[in-house]
Amino acid sequence: MKTQQIIDNAFEMVRSGKRTEACLLLRSSLDSAPKNEALWLALANISDSQRERISCLEQILQINPRNKEALKQVLQGAGQQTIDLSISSRQ
């Protein structure tokens, strides 16, 4: 299954009240594609756990320190949690 199809399926699950299943689908997909920024971002966006959301955004920034959406979300959440911004300066 292609990335966009996986993401579309996950968001449809969320709309149907199956958030847990959607997260499981994305996590399972990330097992085989751990550097897929789009999958990490989708998981960050549907997670109801702030800790998991931050972890997903940090993963994206480890893969691509210039990912604008992840940087934007990290900066928006910076007032709520302590976020390791040092990962954006690695490499």
Side-chain angles (χ1 to χ4, degrees):
M1 197 177 323
K2 294 187 179 193
T3 297
Q4 191 57 52
Q5 189 176 12
I6 293 166
I7 293 169
D8 290 345
N9 288 347
F11 282 113
E12 182 58 37
M13 289 175 176
V14 171
R15 284 189 289 275
S16 300
K18 299 178 181 177
R19 182 178 306 275
T20 301
E21 291 88 343
C23 289
L24 289 172
L25 171 65
L26 292 169
R27 285 187 204 109
S28 173
S29 299
L30 282 163
D31 286 342
S32 60
K35 293 189 178 217
N36 188 312
E37 296 172 52
L39 291 174
W40 281 113
L41 187 58
L43 184 56
N45 287 330
I46 68 168
S47 178
D48 56 3
S49 161
Q50 184 71 3
R51 177 176 280 165
E52 181 177 43
R53 185 172 172 274
I54 291 168
S55 177
C56 291
L57 295 171
E58 288 176 342
Q59 287 294 326
I60 294 167
L61 294 174
Q62 285 178 2
I63 297 163
N64 177 6
R66 294 183 181 103
N67 184 297
K68 290 180 183 180
E69 185 59 31
L71 284 168
K72 177 178 131 187
Q73 289 190 33
V74 165
L75 292 174
Q76 287 174 343
Q80 300 168 6
Q81 295 277 334
T82 302
I83 301 170
D84 183 7
L85 293 176
S86 65
I87 59 174
S88 64
S89 62
R90 291 181 191 154
Q91 295 181 352

